[in-house]
């Protein structure tokens, strides 16, 4: 007997062997059959989906759950365009604290909305003895007041209170880590948001590091969230490469650096597992720290690398030698050069053709870099919504020649490069459907077309958020398509993305999400 049979729906399976179905059977959390194989079988529950369109649950291959959850409960200055209005919000947050010396965190900081960066002097006007920390929306910088600057080690660079990249990490290090309880609650909040948008599996893009580490025992917080029933979707954890350390392994192992006990990609189960090793090579376009081969338009610099190129290369190579899948953050084309060079060196030293190394973001990829991606078997994990939300700004700082190279779609596919969709939430909107719409239209929120030649079909965009996302996370044997034997993770939509006008795709209702064949919201 089936546990559940879902019927009267248009199942877009993403499986070329059975692309469309009308019935789907579930037993013990797995899909056991489609159409005639299950239509006549008895079932404990039969659910009439009343003609809805059903897809495999979306896979978001690059998110920040803890950061998303904390941001949702942190005072925010998002949308403010006047410095005085920003400072008023900060002053309100300061007033809610108890004593001088308390830390006050503010979310939603983006200097572009204000026309300039805030300064430590600005914040000092409303700090009342507190330590103020305003995190840039990109996650690659922050603004602090003088009370924080005075605590930083000598030599930490800043510009009137703005700290970028590793300098920001020095400010974060001054604070106590979050408790596991608080982390678990934040993770749960973010996970519920993902589920409501049809995401049933995601990859947390970096725990335990300087930029996005929230605790030295952060992995335990995800286990706690699972134990407490706060983790309603599948999560794969990328571990920051900063956690690697030299080990005295047997010379035959060829492992120069490793995580404690040799833990690496693949440990865990269907619900919570360890994924790729996360390595940062540069910053971000929003903060103007992505590393380019030519300066930003209108600026006198070309961004920055996170470390000396030789140091970055050694980390990438050592991670590969230790058996990790690599997820290399490289937004600018200079950073991508370093990542590709290092991956090529690593594969030459110890060939691992099925490692499925990834470049996260691949924000600006020159035409000459595309064949190298393909030859090395590297996956491009892009964030289409960056251009939907920030495309006008990004196009202006890249200039006419480079703008079409940003967050590519069709060029990756034409070269045989796996194209994977993701959100990087909370940096940008997390909805997969709105990202699919951009991939098809290549239009920013204002309507500006950005790299229209990079547009893909609806089917290709959906593939990037299902089949390709699952493969990038080594989940292809259990997720990504509605195929018998795989987990019954589904998203029920109010319309068919392939049949509506592309301008309507982002507004399609997510009516229900299933994980292991169970609905996320009770049916009426």
């Amino acid at each position: 007997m089936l546990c559940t049979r879902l019927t009267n729906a248009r199942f877009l399976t993403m499986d070329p062997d059975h692309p469309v179905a009308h019935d789907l059977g579930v037993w013990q959390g797995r899909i056991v059959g489609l159409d005639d194989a299950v239509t006549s079988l008895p079932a404990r529950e039969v659910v009439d989906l009343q003609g809805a369109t059903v897809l495999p649950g979306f896979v978001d291959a690059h998110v920040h759950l803890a950061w998303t959850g904390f941001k949702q409960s942190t005072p925010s200055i998002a949308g403010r365009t006047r410095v005085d209005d920003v400072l008023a919000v900060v002053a309100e947050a300061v007033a809610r604290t108890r004593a001088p010396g308390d830390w006050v965190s503010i979310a939603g900081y983006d200097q572009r909305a204000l026309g300039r960066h805030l300064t430590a002097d600005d914040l000092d006007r409303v700090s009342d003895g507190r330590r103020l920390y305003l995190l840039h929306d990109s996650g690659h910088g922050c603004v602090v007041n003088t009370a924080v600057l005075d605590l930083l080690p000598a030599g930490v660079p800043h510009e009137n209170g703005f700290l970028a990249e590793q300098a920001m990490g020095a400010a974060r290090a001054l604070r106590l880590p979050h408790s596991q309880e608080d982390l678990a609650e934040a993770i749960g909040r973010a996970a519920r948001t993902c589920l409501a948008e049809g995401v049933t599996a995601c990859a947390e893009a970096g725990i335990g590091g300087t930029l996005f580490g929230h605790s030295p025992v952060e992995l335990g917080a995800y286990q706690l969230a699972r134990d407490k029933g706060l983790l309603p979707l599948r999560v794969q954890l990328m571990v920051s490469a900063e956690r690697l350390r030299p080990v005295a392994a047997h010379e035959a192992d060829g492992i120069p650096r490793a995580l404690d006990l040799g833990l690496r990609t693949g440990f865990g189960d269907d619900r919570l597992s360890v994924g790729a090793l996360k390595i940062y090579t540069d910053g971000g376009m929003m903060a103007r720290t992505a590393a380019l081969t030519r300066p930003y338009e209108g600026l006198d610099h070309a961004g920055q690398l996170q470390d000396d190129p030789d140091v970055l290369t050694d980390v990438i190579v050592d991670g590969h030698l230790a058996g990790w899948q690599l997820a290399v953050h490289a937004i600018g084309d200079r950073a991508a050069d370093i990542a590709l060079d290092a991956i090529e060196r690593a594969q030459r030293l110890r060939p691992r053709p099925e490692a499925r190394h990834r470049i996260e973001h691949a924000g600006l990829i020159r035409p000459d870099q595309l064949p190298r991606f393909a030859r090395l078997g590297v996956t491009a994990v892009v964030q289409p919504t960056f251009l939907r939300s920030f495309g006008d700004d990004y196009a202006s700082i890249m200039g006419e020649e480079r703008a079409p190279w940003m967050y590519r779609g069709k060029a990756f596919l034409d070269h045989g490069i796996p194209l994977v969709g993701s959100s990087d939430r909370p940096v940008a909107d997390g909805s997969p459907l709105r990202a699919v719409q951009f991939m098809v239209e290549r239009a920013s929120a204002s309507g500006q077309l950005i790299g229209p030649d990079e547009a893909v079909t609806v089917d290709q965009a959906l593939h990037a958020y299902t089949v390709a996302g699952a493969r990038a996370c080594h989940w292809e044997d259990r997720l990504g398509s509605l195929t018998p034997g795989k987990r019954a993770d589904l998203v029920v939509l109010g319309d068919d993305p392939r049949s509506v006008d592309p301008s309507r795709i982002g507004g399609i209702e997510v009516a229900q999400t299933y994980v292991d064949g169970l609905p996320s919201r009770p049916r009426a």
Side-chain angles (χ1 to χ4, degrees):
M1 175 179 285
L2 299 173
C3 295
T4 307
R5 179 162 56 84
L6 303 177
T7 188
N8 188 21
R10 182 174 177 81
F11 293 93
L12 306 181
T13 67
M14 306 305 294
D15 182 347
D17 292 335
H18 195 146
V20 182
H22 54 77
D23 273 25
L24 181 146
V26 179
W27 185 71
Q28 293 189 354
R30 292 188 180 273
I31 300 167
V32 294
L34 301 167
D35 293 341
D36 292 346
V38 297
T39 299
S40 61
L41 295 179
R44 295 193 187 104
E45 181 181 30
V46 177
V47 180
D48 185 344
L49 293 177
Q50 302 178 343
T53 295
V54 182
L55 280 161
F58 296 124
V59 178
D60 191 332
H62 185 118
V63 303
H64 298 279
L65 290 179
W67 179 16
T68 297
F70 283 126
K71 187 174 181 179
Q72 289 173 342
S73 61
T74 299
S76 177
I77 56 174
R80 267 69 172 188
T81 58
R82 297 175 63 249
V83 170
D84 285 347
D85 292 341
V86 167
L87 295 180
V89 174
V90 176
E92 291 176 9
V94 165
R96 291 196 291 271
T97 59
R98 291 177 294 180
D102 283 351
W103 284 87
V104 177
S105 295
I106 303 291
Y109 175 62
D110 185 345
Q111 83 284 357
R112 297 172 303 174
L114 300 173
R116 69 169 177 87
H117 272 301
L118 292 174
T119 67
D121 290 339
D122 291 329
L123 298 181
D124 288 345
R125 289 161 45 194
V126 294
S127 62
D128 194 25
R130 274 60 169 179
R131 300 166 184 172
L132 304 186
Y133 183 96
L134 279 64
L135 179 62
H136 196 275
D137 263 348
S138 68
H140 289 273
C142 66
V143 180
V144 300
N145 65 336
T146 301
V148 176
L149 293 178
D150 289 344
L151 298 174
L152 291 172
V156 173
H158 70 91
E159 297 180 12
N160 299 317
F162 180 73
L163 300 100
E165 308 302 340
Q166 298 302 322
M168 179 191 74
R172 288 177 64 104
L174 297 172
R175 309 181 61 173
L176 288 173
H178 292 283
S179 72
Q180 286 199 347
E181 287 283 351
D182 287 348
L183 269 166
E185 293 291 336
I187 291 162
R189 282 193 296 273
R192 291 190 293 275
T193 300
C194 291
L195 208 62
E197 294 178 340
V199 175
T200 58
C202 66
E204 164 64 60
I207 64 170
T210 300
L211 290 183
F212 294 112
H214 299 89
S215 165
V217 289
E218 194 166 0
L219 191 151
Y222 282 84
Q223 291 179 290
L224 179 62
R226 175 178 173 164
D227 293 345
K228 295 180 68 173
L230 300 175
L231 203 62
L233 74 171
R234 306 182 198 283
V235 178
Q236 188 177 86
L237 302 172
M238 300 184 202
V239 177
S240 171
E242 295 169 58
R243 292 297 165 194
L244 293 183
R245 61 184 186 183
V247 293
H250 192 283
E251 61 180 16
D253 294 334
I255 300 175
R257 282 188 277 183
L259 220 60
D260 286 346
L261 302 180
L263 188 72
R264 60 174 172 84
T265 303
F267 185 81
D269 58 24
D270 275 348
R271 280 299 187 120
L272 183 62
S273 60
V274 174
L277 186 72
K278 180 68 178 293
I279 303 165
Y280 288 93
T281 63
D282 69 345
M285 287 188 190
M286 194 188 304
R288 309 323 194 217
T289 53
L292 313 178
T293 52
R294 301 200 321 258
Y296 291 89
E297 290 289 315
L299 299 178
D300 61 357
H301 69 87
Q304 65 188 76
L305 296 172
Q306 293 284 355
D307 211 325
D308 181 84
D310 290 340
V311 172
L312 297 173
T313 296
D314 286 346
V315 173
I316 291 171
V317 171
D318 287 355
H320 172 90
L321 295 178
W324 287 89
Q325 178 189 23
L326 305 178
V328 185
H329 169 115
I331 293 185
D333 59 332
R334 184 186 177 207
D337 279 335
I338 289 171
L340 293 169
D341 287 346
I343 290 171
E344 183 167 22
R345 177 181 165 192
Q347 291 283 20
R348 190 166 56 245
L349 289 171
R350 183 176 297 168
R352 290 175 53 214
E354 282 304 309
R356 299 184 195 172
H357 295 325
R358 309 158 37 145
I359 289 188
E360 309 297 302
H361 307 295
L364 185 74
I365 300 301
R366 302 186 312 271
D368 65 285
Q369 293 174 313
L370 294 167
R372 293 196 69 199
F373 266 78
R375 179 165 52 83
L376 293 170
V378 172
T379 295
V381 181
V382 301
Q383 295 76 41
T385 303
F386 278 17
L387 292 188
R388 180 180 177 273
S389 300
F390 316 128
D392 295 350
D393 174 60
Y394 286 10
S396 70
I397 60 173
M398 288 299 110
E400 185 175 353
E401 179 188 12
R402 292 183 293 184
W405 304 345
M406 293 191 297
Y407 296 94
R408 291 177 179 270
K410 186 174 185 294
F412 285 133
L413 295 178
D414 287 348
H415 283 79
I417 300 163
L419 174 65
V420 175
S422 65
S423 68
D424 201 18
R425 73 168 79 225
V427 177
D429 176 12
S431 164
L433 287 171
R434 285 190 282 274
V436 166
Q437 178 176 324
F438 174 83
M439 294 175 79
V440 175
E441 293 185 321
R442 295 291 298 192
S444 71
S446 73
Q448 179 182 352
L449 293 180
I450 302 171
D453 290 344
E454 292 293 332
V456 301
T457 68
V458 175
D459 280 334
Q460 289 169 332
L462 292 173
H463 187 276
Y465 274 91
T466 53
V467 178
R471 185 180 184 279
C473 298
H474 291 268
W475 280 331
E476 72 275 11
D477 62 337
R478 68 198 82 166
L479 304 176
S481 66
L482 303 183
T483 302
K486 293 190 177 183
R487 307 304 306 188
D489 293 1
L490 328 162
V491 56
V492 181
L493 302 179
D495 216 329
D496 184 344
R498 304 186 308 177
S499 63
V500 303
D501 187 274
S503 64
R504 292 180 50 207
I505 294 174
I508 292 175
E509 177 194 8
V510 175
Q512 184 63 277
T513 308
Y514 286 77
V515 177
D516 283 335
L518 300 175
S520 61
R521 299 183 295 275
R523 290 181 293 277

